[in-house]
Amino acid sequence: MLLFPFTAWAGDCHRSEDVDTGGRAFQERDGTHARGTLEKRFIELIQKLCYSADLQDVTSISTSGLTSSEALLPVSTEPVRLRMSESSETAFGGRRAIPRNTSNAAENDPPTVELQGLVPRGFNPQDYLNVMNVHLFKERWDSNKVDHHTDKYSNNQLIVRRGQSFYVQIDFNRPYDPRRDFFRVEYVIGRYPQENKGTYIPVPVVSELQSGKWGAKVVMKEDRSVRLSVQSSPDCIVGKFRMYVAVWTPYGVIRTTRNPETDTYILFNPWCEEDAVYLDNEKEREEYVLNDIGVIFYGDFNDIKSRSWSYGQFEEGILDTCLYVMDRANMDLSGRGNPIKVSRVGSAMINAKDDEGVIAGSWDNVYAYGVPPSAWTGSVDILLEYKSSQKPVRYGQCWVFAGVFNTFLRCLGIPARVVTNYFSAHDNDANLQLDIFLEEDGNVNSKLTKDSVWNYHCWNEAWMTRPDLPVGFGGWQVVDSTPQENSDGMYRCGPASVQAIKHGHVCFQFDAPFVFAEVNSDLVYITAKKDGTHVVETLDTTHIGKLIVTKEIGGDGIKDITDTYKFQEGQEEERLALETALMYGAKKARNTEGVLKSRSDVHMNFEVENAVLGRDLKVIITFRNNGSTRYTVAAYLSGNISFYTGVSKAEFKNETFNVTLEPLSFKREEVLIGAGEYMGQLLEQAFLHFFVTARVNETRDVLAKQKSIVLTVPKVIIKVRGAQVVGSDMVVTVEFTNPLKETLRNVWIRLDGPGVTKPLRRMFREIRPNATVQWEELCRPWVSGPRKLIASLTSDSLRHVYGELNLQIQRRPSM
């Protein structure tokens, strides 16, 4: 039985005082005894031939590098024990401490010749079956890439998906005879490969492939070539493997040398029923795995806006960068076949909050040392910059984190999509309540109000089974890379089962209570009295999680998925889900009984009209009296420049007014807001937040409403000239007209389009009012089908300006 160094790294490490030579002493040519001298030389040769200084047991001996006379020496089949160097790992508490295998990039090579037993003087490895060449059929048009849906990757290596067979052809020095020739394919990943860890995979040649197991079947023999159908395990490690072919001889193994051209990437496989990420709908696989351009929704519930995002998961260098991200996380290679672990590590690593991850977040509107979040058009620039600089890229906010995380997941083969939750709660204490404290005059008490309501928040959903949870909680899982709260010592969130969230089972890992609060919290308005007491005034059970959306399959429209997260308000199932969440530990901190219903017949609402950047706008408040009693109302309006996270920067408007309501009547109050009141203080997304409170004097009932609006901003116009054909030149023109009354300075325009152009950018020092700038680029598309060009503009005073153009790129005509 042959022994391999891969499986022997956990043995004892000490030097034997004697080397067993089969009962015979080493003899010099003149017959004198020189055992000590040759023993020293023998051990030095073994040490030289070990994989590295980290090898602990040498259970096979390579003869490469031996002189002809040294090769004649009889070799024992007993292991030769060597003492490790001082820098190598030592044993702790009786256990062997093997270094962690946490880098896909790190590697060491097995010896090309491993011999055992007595080797005759005339032994020549060339007399046996020798591998002359290995063909992997790795071109874009080859069946390996087409059948595995990896032909879109801009990568010259073989890329396959696990659990599915692929073809390998081996050319030998003579015809292969299965009766006397024995060989196998070996796959190795990382620096310390072990078979029981899945980092060393010997693939035997078998008569028939077995489902769920590695194997190689000979499907063709022709002259000196053998074609194999190689099948990987559906739960093997995802990463970049090194490939070798090992041939048996009577005296040991002859192995091919390290050849980077045979390196093979193995990815998750949503097309394989045995894979943990299997998705049985072909249209969903096309959308959530293969689509490299997406749409991210933002804005406000009443004014939903969208922007296209280039995921670019197939672009050159992106696959290697995604593997590098896991290396930077020091993620053990043995865990990289588990989508639960991979998505959780990705959730932590996409943000740079505590681990030098991919993107540094910033919500303070100061981006002097990086790129404003709104300027990014896709993930490619961000990921490639992170790989080259090995430092976090500045800056990102929730939609940037979600866009890059989506690229990471889809690139590795995990079905994923970006989700937007409108009116998303950031419940700091996870008590399922967002407490809004008011002064007695109706103004918000910012010192006491710690919870916040994000106008929208973007996260990701990843599709996978959850064998760690009861049956029924697999499928879509929430994974969120925006750093909000600490989870097990790091800023990450998920994977949390969407099904578990809907039914209130917040006891299941990971981070389900936090996600449940984001979509199901109650909004509680509390008056902070001057005597220090707090009085619950009113409760809004429908404001949070108002709408949850994602991109529709096969189009750019909205798909409402709110019902996958929560039952309709007021249904018995909705109350049951809430009670279940409370039972599992999410305790409500404040008694809200008795405040669910209004104590008067007065109702209030308001709308914002003509919300265009740089123009005046109106806030119209409507009061309606449905009763037969006359009421007087004292109302207060506050207008704030706000971040999309719901945090106010500065108040630019406050106005108090009184309203008298006759029975069965309504009144409208209009508040005019001039452009000069808000233009000088605008933030990243041009959000204005209005808060209106009113007290009915006769009943002391408090009415409260809050809304955020996104000012409509100008767009970037994209035009193309020339044939939209693969390999043909076409001219792309990016155009922008400044509609504001002020000059825009330090203007950056970015252009992106997967399969059409690499990410580009250009700077304009200034754009005067009503002036137009144009930028032309020559592009040569390399991917056919529906494509999209995306542009963004950012300046010192104007951001979140976008433009896009749909293209239909035709295939190159056949000659």
Side-chain angles (χ1 to χ4, degrees):
M1 177 179 177
L2 293 174
L3 300 175
F4 294 87
F6 299 110
T7 60
W9 288 10
D12 299 328
C13 51
H14 63 274
R15 180 197 290 267
S16 296
E17 294 302 320
D18 294 306
V19 177
D20 186 354
T21 60
R24 296 181 299 172
F26 291 115
Q27 300 291 325
E28 296 281 5
R29 291 184 184 274
D30 59 3
T32 58
H33 185 276
R35 173 176 177 137
T37 302
L38 278 179
E39 176 185 342
K40 181 178 180 181
R41 169 62 176 151
F42 185 55
I43 292 176
E44 287 175 349
L45 286 167
I46 295 175
Q47 288 174 324
K48 181 178 71 173
L49 297 170
C50 292
Y51 293 5
S52 68
D54 297 313
L55 183 59
Q56 295 176 333
D57 268 5
V58 180
T59 58
S60 58
I61 302 170
S62 168
T63 62
S64 59
L66 293 175
T67 65
S68 59
S69 60
E70 289 165 339
L72 296 176
L73 296 175
V75 181
S76 170
T77 57
E78 293 295 318
V80 179
R81 310 269 183 196
L82 303 180
R83 178 179 296 142
M84 303 304 298
S85 65
E86 294 299 324
S87 61
S88 64
E89 296 291 332
T90 57
F92 297 97
R95 297 176 60 193
R96 175 63 45 213
I98 298 176
R100 292 182 64 206
N101 202 357
T102 59
S103 174
N104 198 162
E107 59 182 65
N108 58 326
D109 298 326
T112 56
V113 179
E114 291 184 284
L115 303 182
Q116 288 189 316
L118 300 177
V119 181
R121 181 187 299 270
F123 171 76
N124 184 359
Q126 299 301 319
D127 294 338
Y128 298 90
L129 193 68
N130 276 264
V131 177
M132 307 304 294
N133 205 351
V134 176
H135 306 276
L136 297 186
F137 310 104
K138 55 186 181 178
E139 300 297 334
R140 284 179 183 265
W141 53 83
D142 284 325
S143 60
N144 278 344
K145 285 192 172 180
V146 173
D147 293 347
H148 286 252
H149 305 92
T150 59
D151 52 308
K152 293 184 178 181
Y153 285 89
S154 295
N155 190 305
N156 293 326
Q157 303 297 128
L158 176 61
I159 305 173
V160 295
R161 300 188 186 273
R162 62 186 192 175
Q164 184 175 340
S165 62
F166 56 94
Y167 294 108
V168 172
Q169 182 170 307
I170 304 172
D171 298 338
F172 294 110
N173 61 329
R174 59 170 174 76
Y176 163 69
D177 184 353
R179 294 171 297 179
R180 63 187 183 97
D181 296 327
F182 301 94
F183 73 94
R184 72 180 179 192
V185 179
E186 299 174 341
Y187 288 96
V188 181
I189 188 170
R191 190 177 177 190
Y192 308 103
Q194 292 176 277
E195 187 171 354
N196 64 344
K197 296 284 189 180
T199 49
Y200 164 59
I201 304 169
V203 185
V205 177
V206 296
S207 58
E208 292 296 335
L209 298 175
Q210 295 184 25
S211 177
K213 293 184 178 181
W214 279 91
K217 178 183 177 181
V218 177
V219 294
M220 185 207 74
K221 286 190 299 178
E222 186 176 293
D223 193 21
R224 299 179 180 183
S225 298
V226 172
R227 183 168 299 181
L228 300 174
S229 176
V230 180
Q231 179 179 275
S232 60
S233 166
D235 59 359
C236 74
I237 292 170
V238 166
K240 184 179 182 180
F241 286 80
R242 309 188 296 281
M243 176 192 173
Y244 302 92
V245 180
V247 178
W248 268 252
T249 75
Y251 309 103
V253 171
I254 304 170
R255 182 180 286 109
T256 53
T257 58
R258 172 81 173 91
N259 181 6
E261 292 300 313
T262 62
D263 288 353
T264 301
Y265 294 87
I266 300 180
L267 307 181
F268 290 102
N269 193 353
W271 285 264
C272 175
E273 293 186 17
E274 297 171 292
D275 198 304
V277 301
Y278 173 65
L279 190 59
D280 64 354
N281 186 296
E282 180 59 30
K283 289 185 177 180
E284 291 183 349
R285 290 191 292 249
E286 288 283 339
E287 180 66 53
Y288 300 134
V289 182
L290 300 181
N291 192 354
D292 56 353
I293 305 173
V295 175
I296 298 177
F297 298 98
Y298 67 105
D300 183 76
F301 168 73
N302 295 304
D303 186 15
I304 295 174
K305 297 184 182 298
S306 66
R307 58 169 299 175
S308 293
W309 186 270
S310 168
Y311 298 127
Q313 68 265 32
F314 306 121
E315 298 299 302
E316 184 177 357
I318 296 302
L319 178 54
D320 286 319
T321 301
C322 292
L323 300 181
Y324 170 74
V325 167
M326 291 189 284
D327 286 356
R328 282 292 296 268
N330 288 320
M331 183 183 184
D332 199 283
L333 287 172
S334 61
R336 298 191 189 185
N338 187 337
I340 300 172
K341 294 181 179 180
V342 170
S343 62
R344 187 152 175 80
V345 166
S347 169
M349 280 301 299
I350 296 301
N351 74 75
K353 184 74 171 180
D354 49 15
D355 51 15
E356 289 294 296
V358 179
I359 308 166
S362 178
W363 284 266
D364 60 7
N365 206 46
V366 178
Y367 311 114
Y369 300 101
V371 176
S374 60
W376 300 113
T377 56
S379 307
V380 175
D381 269 352
I382 295 172
L383 287 167
L384 294 182
E385 181 180 335
Y386 178 68
K387 178 69 158 51
S388 62
S389 69
Q390 300 186 9
K391 295 180 180 179
V393 178
R394 296 181 171 90
Y395 293 97
Q397 291 178 2
C398 75
W399 73 94
V400 180
F401 289 113
V404 175
F405 196 12
N406 217 56
T407 301
F408 173 85
L409 294 168
R410 289 188 184 181
C411 184
L412 296 177
I414 301 175
R417 61 189 185 186
V418 176
V419 170
T420 303
N421 177 33
Y422 287 97
F423 297 134
S424 185
H426 186 172
D427 183 9
N428 287 303
D429 52 7
N431 66 352
L432 304 188
Q433 287 184 176
L434 270 79
D435 301 324
I436 309 298
F437 289 91
L438 308 175
E439 303 286 1
E440 289 192 49
D441 62 359
N443 195 10
V444 176
N445 186 318
S446 57
K447 291 183 178 180
L448 293 177
T449 303
K450 302 301 181 184
D451 294 335
S452 62
V453 182
W454 295 35
N455 296 332
Y456 70 92
H457 176 47
C458 297
W459 60 66
N460 301 80
E461 287 180 357
W463 180 272
M464 66 189 73
T465 59
R466 289 299 300 270
D468 58 323
L469 302 183
V471 175
F473 293 109
W476 289 116
Q477 311 288 315
V478 172
V479 282
D480 190 352
S481 56
T482 300
Q484 294 185 84
E485 294 293 329
N486 193 285
S487 172
D488 294 335
M490 301 185 74
Y491 280 90
R492 56 187 170 188
C493 181
S497 168
V498 173
Q499 189 74 352
I501 293 164
K502 180 173 183 176
H503 290 87
H505 291 273
V506 297
C507 56
F508 296 139
Q509 57 186 8
F510 298 87
D511 310 308
F514 182 78
V515 180
F516 186 90
E518 285 184 300
V519 300
N520 273 309
S521 292
D522 291 338
L523 205 57
V524 183
Y525 293 94
I526 305 158
T527 297
K529 300 287 187 179
K530 292 180 180 179
D531 61 5
T533 60
H534 295 165
V535 178
V536 176
E537 298 287 0
T538 187
L539 180 68
D540 190 342
T541 62
T542 63
H543 186 75
I544 301 300
K546 198 81 169 181
L547 179 66
I548 306 171
V549 301
T550 189
K551 174 186 173 297
E552 68 179 0
I553 295 175
D556 291 345
I558 295 177
K559 180 180 180 180
D560 184 347
I561 58 171
T562 310
D563 61 352
T564 66
Y565 281 84
K566 54 198 294 187
F567 294 99
Q568 289 186 3
E569 189 68 36
Q571 287 186 345
E572 183 178 347
E573 294 90 344
E574 186 267 339
R575 289 293 98 187
L576 180 60
L578 180 60
E579 291 171 4
T580 303
L582 296 175
M583 179 182 69
Y584 283 129
K587 299 297 182 182
K588 290 213 172 189
R590 204 175 298 276
N591 182 14
T592 58
E593 294 296 327
V595 297
L596 294 176
K597 295 183 179 180
S598 174
R599 288 166 289 181
S600 74
D601 297 315
V602 177
H603 299 275
M604 178 191 72
N605 204 351
F606 72 91
E607 299 293 337
V608 181
E609 292 186 353
N610 194 34
V612 178
L613 181 72
R615 299 182 186 176
D616 297 347
L617 54 92
K618 291 188 295 184
V619 179
I620 302 172
I621 306 105
T622 303
F623 297 91
R624 184 178 297 275
N625 180 4
N626 294 328
S628 57
T629 305
R630 181 175 180 269
Y631 292 108
T632 58
V633 179
Y636 173 84
L637 177 143
S638 172
N640 294 269
I641 303 290
S642 75
F643 297 90
Y644 79 97
T645 58
V647 178
S648 295
K649 174 192 176 186
E651 186 179 57
F652 66 87
K653 187 76 172 184
N654 63 76
E655 192 160 323
T656 303
F657 49 92
N658 296 307
V659 178
T660 299
L661 292 172
E662 299 297 333
L664 300 174
S665 67
F666 73 92
K667 272 196 175 180
R668 290 159 52 100
E669 291 288 333
E670 293 187 2
V671 178
L672 181 65
I673 296 173
E677 296 182 77
Y678 65 80
M679 277 299 293
Q681 307 179 69
L682 281 182
L683 294 172
E684 175 80 4
Q685 297 191 38
F687 266 111
L688 303 182
H689 181 265
F690 294 97
F691 194 88
V692 179
T693 57
R695 183 180 297 277
V696 180
N697 295 323
E698 288 75 13
T699 63
R700 308 304 294 170
D701 190 21
V702 173
L703 309 174
K705 288 284 184 180
Q706 55 178 312
K707 290 183 180 179
S708 291
I709 60 103
V710 189
L711 295 168
T712 301
V713 297
K715 290 185 175 294
V716 177
I717 306 300
I718 306 175
K719 304 174 183 178
V720 297
R721 301 195 313 271
Q724 298 180 25
V725 178
V726 169
S728 297
D729 291 340
M730 67 180 189
V731 177
V732 177
T733 303
V734 182
E735 183 180 292
F736 176 76
T737 300
N738 179 14
L740 305 182
K741 298 177 181 178
E742 62 178 273
T743 298
L744 301 178
R745 305 186 188 282
N746 298 320
V747 181
W748 280 98
I749 300 179
R750 291 173 178 259
L751 177 66
D752 195 359
V756 178
T757 179
K758 300 293 184 183
L760 303 168
R761 62 178 180 171
R762 183 168 180 178
M763 184 185 185
F764 298 87
R765 288 294 178 187
E766 63 178 35
I767 305 177
R768 297 184 180 277
N770 299 317
T772 299
V773 294
Q774 285 188 338
W775 167 31
E776 289 190 348
E777 285 288 344
L778 190 66
C779 298
R780 184 176 294 171
W782 64 90
V783 176
S784 62
R787 297 283 90 193
K788 186 175 290 189
L789 289 171
I790 309 165
S792 73
L793 178 145
T794 185
S795 69
D796 291 344
S797 56
L798 179 63
R799 296 176 185 142
H800 256 273
V801 179
Y802 304 111
E804 60 185 61
L805 178 66
N806 291 315
L807 303 174
Q808 186 65 41
I809 306 299
Q810 304 297 320
R811 294 181 181 273
R812 187 198 303 266
S814 57
M815 300 300 293

